[in-house]
Amino acid sequence: MTGFLAELGRKLAERWFTLLVLPGLAYLLVAAAAFKLGQRDWHDWHALWNGFAALTEGDADRQDALAVRAVLLVLAAVPVSAALGVVAQALAGPVERALCGPWPHPFAGLSARRTRRRADAWSTEDTAYREHRDPERAARRNALSLIPPEHPTHLGDRLRAPAVRLRQEYGIDLATVWPRLWLLLPAATRDTLTEARTRLDTAFALGGWAVLYLPLALYWWPAAPVVLVTALVSRRRAAIAADVYADLVEAAVDLHLDRLHSRLAEPRPSPQQGRALTERLRRGL
């Protein structure tokens, strides 16, 4: 047990350092460059290097003080970096809503227009497929969405698709069935689903870093490419992770719904039996 706990602690520490501290340290370096150079002297790398050197170089009689300052900076940078990572994780929720929609006011009008355009394009391809039964038409329709679009983005409809498709297939409400089905899933299946959802959340958290870099880009324009690349990578990773996660949810229901049905098959305990069982378990208390 001690070895297991030690290994678990090591993995948690590695994850904490990788997901929070390292990205936070990179952010602090870019922030230092932004506030040191600004827009006017954005390319003055010599001044940036001099500023860094001033923290580590000096007269012989000041070496001890400089060493203490460097150690304090490192010690301060780690918790600050971790705090920035926590903020980026917290921004994953707003990023998910932005990537999936529908969008709130004042973007509700734009959200509705984009949804209508996607729905019209989907209906056109669906009608053409039903008329000609052309697999290419089906592929083009499915590339837009697996279901009639109700969100302004493909990602939003992809994550909604399992609930719609499973309701059509089995007549179930996924939000109601899922918590009970989850308790019956094998541990390996739950682990696979959890890992897929974690990858999706990590992609949204990467978008949170793009949000954090945006103020730096306004102060120092070389940070703008960082914002753009981070946002694009976040969106691409989210799209891939959403495909995997949605497919796994549907597969889990396809393979295990019969187990839930058999466990909840009639006859169910009557209210009288339920009350009697409760009194028995209370043991007179």
Side-chain angles (χ1 to χ4, degrees):
M1 179 61 70
T2 302
F4 171 77
L5 293 176
E7 180 66 16
L8 179 61
R10 184 183 65 82
K11 290 183 177 180
L12 290 176
E14 290 178 354
R15 184 173 179 83
W16 171 78
F17 190 78
T18 302
L19 295 181
L20 300 181
V21 177
L22 283 182
L25 288 174
Y27 182 89
L28 289 178
L29 291 175
V30 175
F35 287 105
K36 177 66 177 179
L37 302 180
Q39 299 290 16
R40 177 178 298 179
D41 300 320
W42 65 268
H43 61 292
D44 193 354
W45 302 105
H46 183 70
L48 184 63
W49 177 255
N50 288 340
F52 172 75
L55 297 175
T56 58
E57 296 178 358
D59 298 333
D61 56 351
R62 297 181 57 209
Q63 287 300 318
D64 291 342
L66 291 172
V68 172
R69 182 193 301 176
V71 171
L72 291 177
L73 285 175
V74 171
L75 292 177
V78 172
V80 171
S81 300
L84 288 169
V86 172
V87 174
Q89 298 281 344
L91 290 172
V95 169
E96 180 176 358
R97 289 190 290 273
L99 291 177
C100 297
W103 300 328
H105 183 79
F107 305 106
L110 176 62
S111 176
R113 289 192 295 271
R114 281 183 55 88
T115 302
R116 283 196 300 269
R117 285 198 297 269
R118 296 187 68 250
D120 291 343
W122 189 93
S123 297
T124 300
E125 296 295 341
D126 183 60
T127 301
Y129 165 70
R130 294 180 184 279
E131 290 178 353
H132 305 288
R133 293 297 172 178
D134 182 3
E136 183 176 344
R137 288 284 189 175
R140 290 168 59 178
R141 178 200 62 187
N142 293 342
L144 291 171
S145 179
L146 293 179
I147 56 175
E150 293 186 7
H151 289 77
T153 65
H154 172 82
L155 184 59
D157 285 317
R158 186 66 188 95
L159 290 174
R160 192 179 66 90
V164 175
R165 286 155 59 90
L166 292 170
R167 183 173 63 247
Q168 294 171 346
E169 180 76 14
Y170 302 112
I172 64 172
D173 176 55
L174 184 61
T176 301
V177 169
W178 185 254
R180 291 136 179 103
L181 182 64
W182 178 264
L183 297 177
L184 296 179
L185 294 178
T189 302
R190 291 200 301 267
D191 291 344
T192 302
L193 285 163
T194 300
E195 182 181 352
R197 181 64 213 194
T198 299
R199 286 197 296 268
L200 182 58
D201 291 337
T202 301
F204 291 137
L206 184 60
W209 282 111
V211 175
L212 287 179
Y213 274 102
L214 185 58
L216 300 184
L218 298 177
Y219 197 81
W220 186 56
W221 76 261
V226 179
V227 176
L228 180 61
V229 171
T230 304
L232 291 176
V233 172
S234 170
R235 185 177 182 276
R236 178 58 179 167
R237 289 184 178 179
I240 295 173
D243 275 333
V244 174
Y245 179 68
D247 284 340
L248 287 173
V249 169
E250 288 195 42
V253 175
D254 288 335
L255 295 176
H256 300 284
L257 184 61
D258 59 335
R259 294 183 59 195
L260 179 64
H261 182 268
S262 63
R263 291 291 297 270
L264 297 178
E266 301 291 348
R268 292 181 295 178
S270 67
Q272 294 80 5
Q273 291 172 317
R275 287 190 289 269
L277 179 61
T278 300
E279 290 299 322
R280 178 181 176 183
L281 295 178
R282 286 176 177 172
R283 293 178 172 84
L285 298 178

